[in-house]
């Protein structure tokens, strides 16, 4: 059964940090995180390939870091220096061939 299980998220003050984790029940070619804020479209945050190649949205470069453990089929997103505009539901994404898989989403709220 194809499954992506997310954990982490929560409420943090501006300038704080959160760590999101995603565990896959399979071995994706590429894993990543997208987010969707209220009233906005889902957008890419960061992705990472099996070889460690990463991509980041300009808005999070220098603040967020994505990593993965190929042996455990997990990917983590370390989010630092969080801003109110980072508030969103964060979705884990996995790519296997041309097939896309999504997690259920986890809420991250940045507010004082």
């Amino acid at each position: 059964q194809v499954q992506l299980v997310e954990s982490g998220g929560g409420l943090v003050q501006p300038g704080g940090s959160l760590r999101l984790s995603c565990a896959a029940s399979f071995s994706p070619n590429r894993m990543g995180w997208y987010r969707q804020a209220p009233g906005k479209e889902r957008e890419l945050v960061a992705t990472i390939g099996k070889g460690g190649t990463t991509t980041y949205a300009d808005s999070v470069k220098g603040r967020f870091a994505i990593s993965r453990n190929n042996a455990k089929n997990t990917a983590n997103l370390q989010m630092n220096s969080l801003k109110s505009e980072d508030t969103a539901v964060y979705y884990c994404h996995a790519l296997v061939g041309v097939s896309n898989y999504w997690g259920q989403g986890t809420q991250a709220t940045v507010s004082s």
Side-chain angles (χ1 to χ4, degrees):
Q1 181 181 1
V2 173
Q3 195 173 19
L4 291 173
V5 178
E6 299 150 339
S7 60
L11 173 64
V12 66
Q13 293 185 341
S17 298
L18 285 174
R19 184 177 178 86
L20 306 181
S21 297
C22 177
S25 60
F26 52 100
S27 180
N29 301 113
R30 197 158 193 88
M31 298 184 74
W33 291 90
Y34 286 68
R35 67 186 180 188
Q36 187 167 18
K40 294 187 177 181
E41 294 186 353
R42 191 173 297 189
E43 63 176 2
L44 180 145
V45 177
T47 70
I48 185 167
K50 274 190 173 179
T53 303
T54 58
T55 61
Y56 292 95
D58 288 342
S59 60
V60 306
K61 283 181 180 177
R63 301 188 298 122
F64 291 12
I66 190 169
S67 61
R68 70 182 286 175
N69 183 320
N70 292 331
K72 296 182 178 180
N73 295 324
T74 58
N76 296 315
L77 183 69
Q78 179 66 40
M79 305 188 293
N80 300 323
S81 302
L82 283 162
K83 306 175 181 179
S84 58
E85 51 262 44
D86 295 317
T87 295
V89 177
Y90 284 73
Y91 296 91
C92 179
H93 171 262
L95 181 67
V96 180
V98 297
S99 298
N100 293 280
Y101 300 94
W102 295 93
Q104 78 281 4
T106 184
Q107 177 71 45
T109 301
V110 184
S111 175
S112 55

